[in-house]
Amino acid sequence: MTAIRPLVAGNWKMNGLTAQLAELQALQDRLAGHPVEADVLICPPATLLAQARWASRGSEIALGGQDCHPLQSGAHTGDISAEILKDAGATAVIVGHSERRTDHGETDAVVRAKAEAAHRAGLIAIICVGETEQERRDGKTLDIVKRQLRGSVPAESSATNTVIAYEPVWAIGSGLTPTPEDVAEVHGFIRAELVQLLGAREAGRLRILYGGSVKPANAKELLSVKDVNGALVGGASLKAGDFDEILSVYRGGKAA
Ligand code: PEP
């Protein structure tokens, strides 16, 4: 398999007044002094995208959205399209985050339509999958992930327009994480499923991120697991210092 360039994405969720842009500036300063061998993406609230684009100009930090509507434009009050995100400076968008699946009842079909919209707009779709605590207890983790992948990943997905984020729902924001062995099992399974869905060539190059309570203290262990090609980070992406410490895993080729 060719080496896969990792991606570390920060999801600020519904956090971020204008003052939060100072963290983006601080992250930019740290990266300028100490570059990393990974792509770095920050997904702020959509209201901050245009200012964030300005604040991060000339840096290696890319910007993304946290969700998009399946359609390009129209009468959908309060929604945002992939095209609008792109126009505001995004190069990627998260779709199917468990908070969207739960809070807004998004089905796999809706998530797939959103990923297709992202692709049409020229954005990378970061498609999230992952089991709940009950599903893991019931031994259904791989079944759930399989169903979500089959239902949410568009047929024309490629390694350049799609990223998969494995995020066990019970690990998000809880401080709990799966063991490295469990992460390896699910990521290996996702890779094998992607071979079935997209063929060996794309599956072998496509990035599979781990997400769920990634912190400076556990980043090295989690990101060194086979088939983990980076992280999707929530809480720890809000502080430049914490996020930069996570990114340090990719300074000087420390991770696998
Ligand atoms: C997330 O919600 O995508 C996430 C990984 O959150 P946290 O890092 O806070 O668990």
Side-chain angles (χ1 to χ4, degrees), residues 11 13 97 99 167 171-174 211-215 232-236:
N11 174 11
K13 308 192 183 187
H97 190 283
E99 286 153 14
E167 299 209 301
I172 293 175
S174 65
S213 293
V214 176
K215 308 286 177 207
L232 180 53
V233 183

Side-chain angles (χ1 to χ4, degrees), residues 81-189:
S81 72
E83 199 182 47
I84 292 173
L85 291 170
K86 175 136 198 230
D87 185 57
T91 57
V93 60
I94 299 166
V95 293
H97 190 283
S98 67
E99 286 153 14
R100 299 290 315 176
R101 290 180 187 261
T102 304
D103 296 356
H104 300 272
E106 291 186 6
T107 61
D108 292 331
V110 168
V111 175
R112 185 177 57 233
K114 290 182 172 200
E116 285 167 351
H119 293 163
R120 278 196 304 275
L123 297 182
I124 296 169
I126 302 175
I127 304 173
C128 301
V129 298
E131 81 287 359
T132 63
E133 190 177 10
Q134 188 62 49
E135 288 161 346
R136 174 161 283 267
R137 257 197 251 121
D138 293 345
K140 291 188 185 149
T141 298
L142 300 184
D143 289 344
I144 295 297
V145 167
K146 180 177 186 164
R147 191 211 73 212
Q148 290 175 330
L149 288 172
R150 297 207 167 216
S152 311
V153 177
E156 88 289 0
S157 298
S158 71
T160 40
N161 71 11
T162 302
V163 171
I164 303 297
Y166 168 56
E167 299 209 301
V169 179
W170 53 273
I172 293 175
S174 65
L176 303 172
T177 55
T179 64
E181 292 73 26
D182 287 341
V183 173
E185 182 191 22
V186 180
H187 278 239
F189 177 79

Side-chain angles (χ1 to χ4, degrees), residues 5 13 16 24 34 45-46 50 60 63 75 92 120 159 175 202 210 219 249:
R5 185 169 169 84
K13 308 192 183 187
L24 192 64
H34 304 277
E60 295 293 308
L63 299 170
R120 278 196 304 275
E202 294 307 322
Y210 169 76
V249 171

